[in-house]
Amino acid sequence: MDKEAALQQVAAITQALEEVTKGLKQYATVIQESGGKSDLESIGQVSQSHTDLVSGVRTLNRASRGPVDMVFAQIEAVAYTGAVRALLEMGIFEKLPLDGTGLSADVLANELRVERDLLVRLMRVAVPELFAEPEPQIYSHTPYSMVYLHPGVRGAFKLMLGEYAPVFNKLSEFFKDSGWKSPQSETNNPYTFTHQTKGLTMWEHVKLDPDYFKIWNAAMNAQGIATSFAISIFPFKTELSKMETTEETVLVVDVGGGLGHATKQVKALCEDVKGRIILQDRPEVLEDITEELPEIEKMGHDFFTPNPVKGALIYYIRRCLHDWNDENCVLILKNIACSMTRSSRLLIAEIVLPATKADVEGAWMDLTMMTFTGKERTEQQWGDLLKDAGLRLEKTYGMPGTHYGVVEAYLT
């Protein structure tokens, strides 16, 4: 790098650092002013300021490393995640004391029955981002390593590395082979191409190994719970209270509601409103429910068939439609629309991407969905789907700091 280029880099770093400092002050101010409030507006303000701060840090990182070094940063990330997965399978996360005290490489290698040299080489990559090394080759937990002990987080990590990281690496090969366009076939897409599923869909393939399917489900449930804050984006009680209801009125049908975590939260949000709450999913899914769901009716239903509940006030579908291509989504929506009346409304709780400047989560989630023909959508794309299903988009509810939202629709 010549002097002029180096000075330009210093200027870029200085500007980025100033923005990070400003963003940090803003984040601290918002936290102080929110006072730990749990209302949606306060959560949104904190989330937005944190998102802005992280964006600034990413800009600072790019400026500090420069264009060439950022290419190698991608290789570093691959090596890091590979090392973490190996250490996870090795058992180091469980072996290290939870009180933060350290263990030597000798002790760990002996107790885990692994080669000491291999352990040290893997830990060399994971320190200090993940583990601490207070003394040479003495390792201890940090908050960043302990989070992997949570079954849902661990399941999500294994799922992304085991199922989707290889798929991302094969994207170019798939598109060269099948054409440069978004995949639409459930049996011919980047996922099935990479895993050589022999005619099985992604959904069928992950069920082949019952033990792995449990991990897969744990990851999906963890992600659903992690984004459960978005359920309250729609004012269920306020809207339902505007209508006269009885104990027999069907207030909400949670279509494809899984194990009922969201349904239970919706029920709480409908507090004091007379009426019924129905959880729908395939019978085999409902059989796996172990949690008590008081005052929630369970109903076996496949959303690729007409909804058996006629005239509910709200049909609610959350984190389902992004799994499917446009054709299947229209079919699912038509099977809900055919049971709606003029007083019914449909709520789609999903990511609603902006037309530009999508956040990191929205972008990588869309890419992940694409590998098996799914899609994260913009408001315009949601509107197009609804129109094709005989529905009209009425309003999109959202909050600052996240692309998660609720799309409200009625019959046309």
Side-chain angles (χ1 to χ4, degrees):
M1 184 184 296
D2 59 29
K3 182 179 179 180
E4 184 178 349
L7 289 174
Q8 288 177 349
Q9 183 183 31
V10 169
I13 294 170
T14 302
Q15 182 178 352
L17 183 58
E18 290 174 354
E19 290 299 318
V20 168
T21 302
K22 193 166 27 173
L24 177 58
K25 290 179 179 178
Q26 177 64 23
Y27 182 46
T29 299
V30 171
I31 289 175
Q32 288 291 339
E33 291 178 351
S34 70
K37 296 176 183 176
S38 59
D39 62 283
L40 210 58
E41 183 178 356
S42 298
I43 293 172
Q45 290 173 347
V46 171
S47 178
Q48 183 63 65
S49 61
H50 183 259
T51 299
D52 293 342
L53 174 60
V54 171
S55 177
V57 171
R58 285 165 59 88
T59 300
L60 176 60
N61 182 54
R62 288 197 303 274
S64 301
R65 300 197 67 156
V68 174
D69 203 24
M70 282 301 294
V71 174
F72 290 94
Q74 298 176 61
I75 302 171
E76 293 170 18
V78 173
Y80 172 77
T81 52
V84 173
R85 176 63 185 270
L87 291 166
L88 199 65
E89 299 296 343
M90 185 182 283
I92 279 184
F93 288 79
E94 290 80 9
K95 188 60 64 176
L96 287 174
L98 298 179
D99 62 4
T101 55
L103 290 179
S104 69
D106 290 325
V107 170
L108 286 167
N110 181 62
E111 294 191 3
L112 294 171
R113 298 182 181 180
V114 300
E115 183 188 64
R116 183 186 184 281
D117 181 62
L118 173 63
L119 186 151
V120 170
R121 294 172 76 182
L122 291 170
M123 290 296 278
R124 189 178 291 144
V125 179
V127 172
E129 281 79 6
L130 198 64
F131 296 103
E133 189 177 10
E135 299 178 45
Q137 297 179 8
I138 303 291
Y139 306 110
S140 60
H141 265 306
T142 72
Y144 297 95
S145 60
M146 290 182 68
V147 72
Y148 285 82
L149 296 173
H150 186 283
V153 172
R154 178 183 294 233
F157 178 73
K158 285 187 174 183
L159 173 69
M160 291 307 300
L161 281 192
E163 293 292 304
Y164 297 104
V167 180
F168 294 147
N169 287 332
K170 288 271 193 177
L171 283 181
S172 60
E173 188 177 337
F174 171 80
F175 289 123
K176 284 179 182 178
D177 186 64
S178 63
W180 293 91
K181 54 187 178 182
S182 295
Q184 299 297 323
S185 170
E186 292 177 53
T187 56
N188 182 28
N189 51 58
Y191 183 97
T192 61
F193 174 82
T194 302
H195 291 289
Q196 296 294 295
T197 63
K198 299 179 181 178
L200 297 178
T201 67
M202 184 275 289
W203 307 104
E204 294 165 337
H205 182 257
V206 297
K207 293 178 181 178
L208 292 178
D209 183 344
D211 291 333
Y212 187 79
F213 188 53
K214 288 180 181 178
I215 295 173
W216 193 88
N217 270 333
M220 294 298 100
N221 288 332
Q223 188 178 37
I225 292 171
T227 59
S228 62
F229 68 90
I231 296 171
S232 57
I233 288 176
F234 182 79
F236 282 93
K237 184 176 181 179
T238 300
E239 290 300 304
L240 288 171
S241 295
K242 295 176 181 177
M243 311 183 77
E244 292 186 12
T245 64
T246 69
E247 298 294 346
E248 294 304 311
T249 304
V250 179
L251 301 178
V252 181
V253 178
D254 188 357
V255 183
L259 301 181
H261 300 303
T263 324
K264 192 172 182 179
Q265 189 171 336
V266 169
K267 172 66 179 174
L269 292 171
C270 297
E271 182 185 11
D272 299 331
V273 181
K274 293 180 181 179
R276 300 157 58 195
I277 306 289
I278 299 175
L279 165 63
Q280 292 181 338
D281 213 309
R282 299 185 313 279
E284 61 269 26
V285 174
L286 298 181
E287 288 172 4
D288 287 338
I289 296 175
T290 56
E291 182 182 3
E292 289 294 324
L293 299 174
E295 300 180 6
I296 294 174
E297 303 173 37
K298 290 181 283 188
M299 179 183 294
H301 172 60
D302 180 345
F303 54 42
F304 283 108
T305 62
N307 200 291
V309 180
K310 307 295 183 183
L313 296 184
I314 294 176
Y315 293 86
Y316 182 74
I317 184 164
R318 174 176 182 261
R319 297 185 69 248
C320 292
L321 295 176
H322 73 163
D323 291 335
W324 303 97
N325 63 19
D326 289 354
E327 182 180 355
N328 279 313
C329 282
V330 171
L331 177 58
I332 294 167
L333 291 171
K334 283 183 175 180
N335 280 320
I336 297 174
C338 69
S339 296
M340 293 172 64
T341 63
R342 292 296 169 187
S343 60
S344 302
R345 74 180 87 187
L346 168 67
L347 300 181
I348 301 172
E350 292 272 10
I351 284 176
V352 183
L353 292 174
T356 185
K357 295 183 180 179
D359 64 20
V360 174
E361 181 184 16
W364 75 253
M365 281 290 288
D366 178 51
L367 203 63
T368 303
M369 298 300 107
M370 184 202 68
T371 64
F372 54 90
T373 76
K375 191 176 190 178
E376 302 297 352
R377 295 173 170 90
T378 64
E379 184 178 52
Q380 178 65 51
Q381 289 170 325
W382 284 120
D384 291 342
L385 285 183
L386 290 165
K387 183 178 179 181
D388 290 342
L391 296 158
R392 61 176 172 82
L393 193 156
E394 177 71 16
K395 182 178 180 180
T396 299
Y397 296 80
M399 62 180 281
T402 179
H403 293 334
Y404 287 93
V406 177
V407 175
E408 181 184 43
Y410 291 85
L411 292 173
T412 54

